[in-house]
Amino acid sequence: MVARVTTIAFEGIEAVPVDVQVMVGPGKIGMQIVGLADKAVAESRERVQAALHASGLSMPPKKVTVNLAPADLPKEGSHYDLPIALGLMAALGAIPGDVLQSYVVLGELALDGTTAPVTGALPAAIGANALGKGLICPHAVGPEAAWAGSDIDIVAPRSLISIANHFRGTQVLSRPEPAVHPVASNLPDLADIKGQESAKRALEVAAAGGHNLLMVGPPGSGKSMLAQRLPSILPKLSPRELLEVSMIASIAGEIAGGKLSDRRPFRAPHHSATMAALVGGGLRVRPGEASLAHHGVLFLDELPEFNPQALDSLRQPLESGECVIARANGRVSYPARIQLIAAMNPCRCGMAGEPGHRCARGPRCQADYQARISGPLLDRIDLRIEVPAVSAGDLIRPSRAETSAVVAERVARARMVQADRYAERGLSGITTNALCPTSLIEEVAALDQSGTSLLRDASEKLSFSARAYHRVLKVARTLADLDGTANVGRIHLAEAISYRMAGERLAHAA
């Protein structure tokens, strides 16, 4: 007799159906798993046998063959334990085999027959819904899978015994409820930063338009403090964005207790991170920091200390919004629509250009240090500002600065204007000016004669590339949105150009 159970394999965040076929027949006693399975799947044999024994079921004195079809698709991970066990139980008559046809099954088994959490429950539930089926998953990840929709039949057993009783009708397992991560109430506030008004203005502009930002300044000037307070002024994730972000986090196994949060991701990898850590990769092609920061912030502190090749690997994600990882045996794509925030010192000793300080190596120290960042990467950064050292007067001054809540209101209003603007033009996936197509930005940021003359002169003097030209227009459009004006004025354009001028020394060094 052959019993069939549907499970899934992951290709990026997509769930690919896998047919688990279990046959009990004559032959040498034992269990064999075929179908291009990796080490974790091959070890399922021992876990399944122990779990069945602990649940009061003995293995039949026959040959058990498990085929994972399609046979040419690589099978990775421990989530094949539960579908194999349920298929074997159906083949033995312990549970009705026909009821399993309505479900997609995934889960790991402990030796005592209990279920253990696995990664990818949310994309598995979405994939099951696309197949018109329900989902059977471990109890620990049931609240995560429940976010896929209220109309999906989800069964989240704690053990093999409980699921057998459920299908026999002696026990009813209730549908898990979506779990919500409590809203963080202790986010760092912009009011904690004294001075640096121009830097806080640039941070607000970056938040309002989703623009990339580079801060250059000596140690202790507040660059990291500013970046850490960016999440406090960003709007919450929309339902669509929440689903995309949570699917990536689910694949990476970073959803604790199945609880989702509408707070935008903020990832700050150490500068020793490799290329695979930033854009994804590895043996099982996991998402990298850029994908985990999807619809959020990727903060790179001490930017020149990163490996130059690793930094340049971010050029494609910054432009296309996805990380494409190609291997000899396949191609995987992860979404990575990120806002890059970077901070760096002007030179290795950190004090170049500061009054009263002189670098021991002279101008070469600054040039060599800044040359570690390539020109094409700098060209993708919209705002480049200098963050000078804070004066003693700013630190002593007792007055409290503007709070994050006040700034967040202005950012939310500007983002709402942008979302409405692009929705009217049928661009549902575009919500910020930073994502505006180049073919449209000249229309939504139309300049008058004086503005056109200013931009032409600045482009010639500063040698703007075509990308820089359009990014200046995007920043100017964001500045106009913050002011609540329909037209981009000369003052908005001048401020946008000033944010490019601050990085000219970096561009020449690179």
Side-chain angles (χ1 to χ4, degrees):
M1 176 184 177
V2 177
R4 292 175 178 267
V5 179
T6 303
T7 186
I8 47 94
F10 294 109
E11 288 187 349
I13 60 174
E14 300 296 325
V16 180
V18 173
D19 186 22
V20 180
Q21 306 163 5
V22 182
M23 185 184 74
V24 179
K28 184 178 179 181
I29 298 175
M31 179 188 292
Q32 185 175 6
I33 300 176
V34 297
L36 206 58
D38 74 345
K39 183 66 174 176
V41 182
E43 291 174 347
S44 294
R45 175 177 61 249
E46 306 301 330
R47 291 192 294 271
V48 168
Q49 290 178 359
L52 290 176
H53 178 74
S55 303
L57 281 174
S58 59
M59 290 290 295
K62 295 182 178 181
K63 181 180 180 180
V64 178
T65 304
V66 179
N67 179 39
L68 306 177
D72 60 345
L73 178 69
K75 319 298 188 308
E76 301 174 341
S78 60
H79 65 272
Y80 293 92
D81 291 5
L82 190 56
I84 291 174
L86 292 183
L88 185 53
M89 291 171 69
L92 297 176
I95 58 174
D98 54 341
V99 297
L100 295 177
Q101 302 304 314
S102 303
Y103 291 93
V104 169
V105 185
L106 81 162
E108 182 181 334
L109 288 173
L111 298 183
D112 60 355
T114 58
T115 58
V118 292
T119 60
L122 180 57
I126 295 174
N129 189 38
L131 296 173
K133 297 187 177 185
L135 179 73
I136 300 175
C137 63
H139 182 270
V141 296
E144 173 189 334
W147 280 98
S150 58
D151 57 337
I152 305 176
D153 183 14
I154 298 178
V155 180
R158 295 181 182 273
S159 64
L160 283 177
I161 296 176
S162 63
I163 195 169
N165 293 337
H166 174 78
F167 287 130
R168 287 173 180 169
T170 59
Q171 179 184 355
V172 177
L173 296 176
S174 59
R175 187 183 189 278
E177 294 296 325
V180 180
H181 200 281
V183 178
S185 58
N186 57 344
L187 288 176
D189 199 287
L190 274 177
D192 301 334
I193 300 178
K194 296 184 177 181
Q196 304 296 9
E197 297 304 322
S198 60
K200 285 189 277 190
R201 166 68 172 174
L203 196 70
E204 179 181 343
V205 174
H211 302 290
N212 302 324
L213 170 66
L214 172 62
M215 296 177 284
V216 184
S221 58
K223 303 183 297 296
S224 299
M225 288 184 67
L226 285 162
Q228 290 163 0
R229 281 148 181 80
L230 179 58
S232 66
I233 62 175
L234 289 174
K236 295 180 180 179
L237 291 168
S238 67
R240 177 179 177 179
E241 292 173 338
L242 172 63
L243 192 61
E244 293 179 7
V245 170
S246 300
M247 288 175 68
I248 300 172
S250 178
I251 291 292
E254 296 204 358
I255 298 182
K259 298 179 180 179
L260 306 190
S261 172
D262 58 3
R263 178 64 61 186
R264 292 186 180 272
F266 182 85
R267 308 289 300 189
H270 190 261
H271 56 73
S272 61
T274 63
M275 185 185 301
L278 285 179
V279 299
L283 184 62
R284 298 177 63 182
V285 193
R286 291 302 187 190
E289 293 292 329
S291 296
L292 292 170
H294 183 52
H295 288 313
V297 177
L298 178 64
F299 175 47
L300 302 183
D301 202 2
E302 307 296 346
L303 186 66
E305 299 297 333
F306 283 82
N307 183 284
Q309 287 75 26
L311 286 180
D312 284 338
S313 68
L314 293 173
R315 284 154 57 176
Q316 181 205 10
L318 287 173
E319 204 68 31
S320 64
E322 64 175 352
C323 292
V324 180
I325 302 138
R327 296 291 182 266
N329 60 347
R331 177 180 180 275
V332 176
S333 173
Y334 287 108
R337 199 168 290 285
I338 59 174
Q339 180 177 4
L340 177 65
I341 306 297
M344 60 176 286
N345 297 328
C347 68
R348 183 164 294 280
C349 65
M351 304 305 295
E354 287 300 305
H357 294 275
R358 185 176 181 180
C359 182
R361 295 181 59 202
R364 182 176 177 181
C365 177
Q366 182 176 355
D368 290 350
Y369 193 66
Q370 295 179 358
R372 291 178 59 86
I373 308 168
S374 68
L377 179 61
L378 281 174
D379 201 35
R380 288 166 168 81
I381 298 178
D382 307 338
L383 310 175
R384 313 168 191 172
I385 62 171
E386 294 183 356
V387 185
V390 183
S391 66
D394 289 329
L395 296 174
I396 297 172
R397 189 175 303 152
S399 60
R400 187 170 173 84
E402 202 172 33
T403 63
S404 291
V406 176
V407 178
E409 290 181 3
R410 294 198 296 265
V411 170
R413 284 196 298 268
R415 286 219 176 193
M416 190 176 299
V417 170
Q418 297 167 53
D420 293 342
R421 175 189 300 129
Y422 300 121
E424 291 174 358
R425 290 168 168 80
L427 303 174
S428 58
I430 306 298
T431 57
T432 60
N433 290 325
L435 303 178
C436 179
T438 54
S439 57
L440 182 62
I441 189 59
E442 293 184 8
E443 174 189 337
V444 300
L447 303 175
D448 55 18
Q449 186 174 357
S450 63
T452 303
S453 176
L454 175 61
L455 184 56
R456 183 190 303 114
D457 293 342
S459 299
E460 292 175 355
K461 290 181 180 179
L462 301 176
S463 302
F464 283 168
S465 65
R467 180 186 292 112
Y469 177 89
H470 289 112
R471 285 182 181 262
V472 167
L473 284 177
K474 293 178 182 180
V475 175
R477 178 67 265 179
T478 299
L479 291 167
D481 291 337
L482 280 170
D483 287 346
T485 59
N487 299 321
V488 176
R490 184 182 176 92
I491 187 173
H492 304 129
L493 191 60
E495 185 176 354
I497 293 172
S498 70
Y499 290 131
R500 300 289 301 193
M501 292 175 62
E504 282 307 299
R505 288 185 303 170
L506 288 172
H508 291 313

